[in-house]
């Protein structure tokens, strides 16, 4: 007889077999075995000297990846949304004005996050698949004179990229000279900057327990990038994406982003083939080929199929696989004549 009112769940008393799958959606993507193995290394304390050294190496790797010498470079312990909230919570104060360029779901989400802290939110909006010219951005900046401007570099919901991103050193001054405390303790940049050794304090204080195993994995992924070389990595992603785009057009499919230079090389958006139910296509490809591709998201929902070719998944061999799967799906899925 157990003294417990809730017994161990039956489902946890047997192993869970996770299948191998080719992850060609907008994320998550497959992880090289080397990164998975790094994450399985022995546990260390999150403030042990070796962990701090790993964190310092991660900082250098991120500075390389983003080509910045900004001292306040760090990784946020959390998903992309945590990083978005961290950026917005720290750079804006209640009542301040922010201009958000919306060309997909990430601009919409940024506006929602900024509204929640009582910022004055102004937006410039373009249709899904579109992008902003420098003139449009300058005009909007002149009109609204915001304290903060938000633009998504790689809009993964629509497959659009903006290139000439202006990184502002002024932002650091703004973040560290606030009238009010940021709304989130966990995402407070003065704590995070100290935890990551980005300030002048001699000691790193406990703020939260960093995800040590993830630090190992992140360090390893940045090591792969350093060995590959950033320019080689950009080149490979671009060439593989162009090879994919050519293959799609040869099959009679249409790319959602008209302007070639605005196409995000990591996530390709394909106009949802007319007459088909997009879910049947993604379902068929998953069932028959064990490959994940996905539909649209937010403003692009129902309009596109999305295929991600990122990191170790960015290969011509994967392009051939996904093109074959798409061609087969178009043959076998129901096509209405209306
Ligand atoms: C550009 C961009 N921002 C933010 C996010 C949100 O990331 P997460 O789902 O990890 O919270 C994503 C996710 O795909 C993204 O592509």
């Amino acid at each position: 007889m157990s003294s417990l009112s809730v017994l161990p769940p039956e489902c946890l008393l047997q192993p869970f077999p996770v299948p191998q799958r080719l992850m060609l959606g907008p994320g998550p993507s497959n992880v090289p075995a080397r990164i998975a193995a790094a994450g399985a290394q022995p546990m260390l304390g999150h403030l042990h000297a070796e962990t701090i050294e790993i964190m310092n190496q991660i900082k250098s790797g991120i500075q390389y990846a983003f080509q910045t010498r900004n001292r306040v470079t760090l990784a946020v312990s959390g998903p992309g949304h945590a990083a978005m909230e961290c950026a917005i919570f720290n750079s804006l104060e209640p009542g301040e004005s922010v201009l958000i360029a919306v060309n997909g779901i990430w601009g919409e989400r940024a506006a929602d996050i900024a509204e929640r802290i009582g910022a004055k939110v102004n937006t410039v909006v373009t249709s899904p698949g579109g992008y902003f010219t420098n003139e449009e951005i300058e005009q909007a900046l002149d009109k609204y004179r915001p304290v903060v401007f938000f633009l998504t570099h790689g809009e993964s919901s629509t497959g659009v990229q903006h290139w000439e991103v202006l990184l502002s050193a002024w932002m650091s001054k703004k973040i560290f000279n606030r009238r009010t405390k940021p709304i989130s303790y966990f995402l407070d940049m003065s704590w995070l900057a100290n935890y990551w050794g980005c300030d002048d304090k001699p000691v790193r204080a406990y703020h939260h327990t960093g995800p040590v195993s993830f630090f190992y994995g992140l360090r390893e992924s940045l090591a792969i990038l350093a060995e590959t070389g950033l320019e080689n990595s950009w080149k490979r992603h671009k060439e593989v994406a162009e090879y994919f785009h050519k293959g799609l057009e040869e099959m009679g499919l249409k790319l959602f982003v008209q302007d070639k230079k605005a196409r995000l090389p990591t996530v390709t958006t394909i106009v949802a083939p007319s007459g088909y139910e997009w879910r049947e296509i993604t379902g068929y490809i998953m069932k028959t080929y064990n490959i994940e591709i996905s539909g649209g998201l937010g403003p692009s929902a129902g309009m596109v199929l999305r295929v991600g070719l990122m990191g170790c998944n960015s290969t011509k061999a994967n392009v051939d696989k996904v093109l074959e799967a798409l061609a087969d799906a178009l043959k076998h899925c129901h096509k209405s004549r209306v």
Side-chain angles (χ1 to χ4, degrees):
M1 241 325 243
S2 167
S3 61
L4 303 174
S5 57
V6 179
L7 297 177
E10 275 301 319
C11 59
L12 294 181
L13 299 178
Q14 45 236 293
F16 187 92
V18 177
Q20 276 291 345
R21 197 161 276 163
L22 184 53
M23 298 295 293
L24 301 186
S29 298
N30 297 96
V31 174
R34 196 178 142 181
I35 295 176
Q41 291 181 102
M43 188 52 72
L44 291 172
H46 78 118
L47 288 172
H48 286 183
E50 297 82 354
T51 311
I52 287 178
E53 182 52 28
I54 289 170
M55 289 166 81
N56 288 341
Q57 294 183 8
I58 289 172
K59 280 199 294 186
S60 308
I62 299 174
Q63 286 172 339
Y64 173 62
F66 286 88
Q67 291 294 288
T68 176
R69 292 185 200 284
N70 190 336
R71 186 180 178 198
V72 190
T73 298
L74 51 82
V76 173
S77 306
H81 277 83
M84 284 174 75
E85 292 204 337
C86 184
I88 294 169
F89 287 172
N90 284 281
S91 56
L92 268 177
E93 300 196 49
E96 284 183 341
S97 93
V98 56
L99 174 64
I100 300 180
V102 179
N103 66 328
I105 195 170
W106 305 115
E108 288 180 353
R109 291 265 163 112
D112 189 323
I113 294 167
E115 252 170 48
R116 283 164 195 253
I117 58 167
K120 273 192 235 131
V121 180
N122 291 299
T123 54
V124 266
V125 183
T126 183
S127 55
Y131 64 96
F132 298 97
T133 61
N134 285 350
E135 293 75 51
E136 283 166 334
I137 289 172
E138 273 160 27
Q139 270 173 19
L141 287 171
D142 274 350
K143 181 168 170 198
Y144 296 110
R145 307 231 150 244
V147 173
V148 170
F149 172 57
F150 182 101
L151 173 71
T152 309
H153 168 55
E155 192 23 280
S156 55
S157 66
T158 58
V160 173
Q161 71 176 352
H162 281 97
W163 266 117
E164 289 150 41
V165 184
L166 300 171
L167 295 172
S168 166
W170 167 85
M171 210 51 182
S172 286
K173 272 194 215 130
K174 167 85 179 70
I175 289 172
F176 295 113
N177 291 288
R178 299 172 55 98
R179 284 178 287 110
T180 58
K181 286 183 178 178
I183 195 156
S184 165
Y185 187 93
F186 177 58
L187 297 172
D188 184 329
M189 191 52 97
S190 30
W191 276 104
L192 295 176
N194 174 258
Y195 181 48
W196 281 85
C198 309
D199 61 12
D200 292 321
K201 296 190 185 132
V203 180
R204 296 190 192 199
Y206 167 69
H207 168 247
H208 71 284
T209 307
V212 177
S213 305
F214 279 93
F215 289 164
Y216 303 157
L218 179 53
R219 187 212 165 270
E220 201 63 22
S221 62
L222 292 164
I224 293 175
L225 183 63
E227 287 163 19
T228 307
L230 196 54
E231 285 156 316
N232 290 333
S233 176
W234 288 339
K235 187 164 173 275
R236 189 184 80 231
H237 282 82
K238 185 168 183 284
E239 281 172 5
V240 168
E242 283 171 1
Y243 177 67
F244 182 42
H245 298 167
K246 189 163 161 276
L248 288 168
E249 283 173 339
E250 280 168 8
M251 272 172 62
L253 288 170
K254 289 196 186 70
L255 288 153
F256 188 60
V257 182
Q258 310 284 320
D259 190 338
K260 280 189 184 171
K261 58 175 195 314
R263 289 178 187 156
L264 187 61
T266 44
V267 178
T268 293
T269 39
I270 306 161
V271 176
S274 76
Y276 291 91
E277 167 56 49
W278 69 264
R279 268 196 199 84
E280 201 190 339
I281 298 177
T282 57
Y284 180 88
I285 291 176
M286 175 70 88
K287 198 164 126 243
T288 318
Y289 291 88
N290 209 15
I291 297 176
E292 180 191 68
I293 67 163
S294 90
L297 181 68
S300 68
M303 300 170 89
V304 296
L305 295 171
R306 290 185 299 158
V307 177
L309 294 160
M310 293 176 244
C312 69
N313 279 352
S314 164
T315 65
K316 289 191 177 173
N318 279 344
V319 169
D320 293 340
K321 280 187 203 164
V322 75
L323 285 174
E324 184 196 332
L326 276 166
D328 189 28
L330 295 180
K331 247 189 256 152
H332 286 93
C333 293
H334 175 75
K335 186 176 184 201
S336 83
R337 289 200 203 105
V338 190

